[in-house]
Amino acid sequence: MTFGFASSSAASVSTSASASRLLEPAEWAAAGIPLLRNPREVVSGLHARHHPKPSVAVVAVLDPEERLCASASFVRRPAPADGWMFRNALLAQLRRVIPHDLRRRTPVRTAVLLYCRNGDARWTEEDGAWMWGLRDACTLHGLRCGAYITLTGDGWQVLGEGRGGRLPSAHSEPEPFAMSEAPMPAPRTGGPVSEVLRRAAAR
């Protein structure tokens, strides 16, 4: 009898902890998430680059000019929505594609999350868990927490802002353009290395 009671209590605590790792729309709106200047361009660019289908998440890092620095897509595992698990998944992808900015006093780059799912555009607890995960992953990687965007059959929507559109959607074909990317650093000129590069380019 004691074992059964303890097991039930542990399950209750686990469910409660999982439920607390999500953000309600009002909490998200009050968090001061920076607005995207051109959300449709960001959404269309990520859609063209990653072709997300339902259950695919796309995390992207933007520079201060809203140009793409890095992005990664991955499939959400079939498990209960948990902000802690989503945080770990997002952090793993960020660490894979871009160095952290933890040495900066204030974050310069911003991470945004596009999640493609079934259903309509209304907020769900799964969305709340993604919001919690994105905010925590950004803190641990030295980034500003940016927009959370859902992509459904109805189109796209920036949750907490009320901005959205019908295209792209979860089932539409990618548009024939991609978002602008931050330019690569210019190579240093002069010296034997640049001469080798110049000769290689001339071939």
Side-chain angles (χ1 to χ4, degrees), residues 24-130:
E24 300 279 349
E27 294 176 293
W28 184 256
I33 305 299
L35 302 179
L36 289 169
R37 289 195 295 269
N38 193 336
R40 188 181 186 283
E41 181 179 328
V42 171
V43 173
S44 296
L46 293 177
H47 185 259
R49 177 176 290 271
H50 292 280
H51 306 184
K53 299 299 180 186
S55 296
V56 171
V58 181
V59 62
V61 179
L62 309 178
D63 73 6
E65 302 303 318
E66 227 167 75
R67 293 175 299 188
L68 182 65
C69 298
S71 64
S73 61
F74 59 98
V75 178
R76 178 211 191 287
R77 291 182 178 178
D82 186 325
W84 183 78
M85 292 179 64
F86 290 168
R87 185 276 307 273
N88 290 345
L90 291 168
L91 197 55
Q93 296 298 324
L94 288 170
R95 287 171 173 165
R96 186 173 65 84
V97 299
I98 198 163
H100 67 74
D101 276 350
L102 293 171
R103 292 186 180 87
R104 292 183 178 272
R105 288 187 176 182
T106 56
V108 174
R109 298 181 293 192
T110 302
V112 300
L113 177 61
L114 172 71
Y115 181 56
C116 185
R117 62 170 172 76
N118 293 313
D120 57 34
R122 287 177 294 184
W123 180 89
T124 65
E125 288 193 355
E126 182 184 26
D127 294 325
W130 278 117

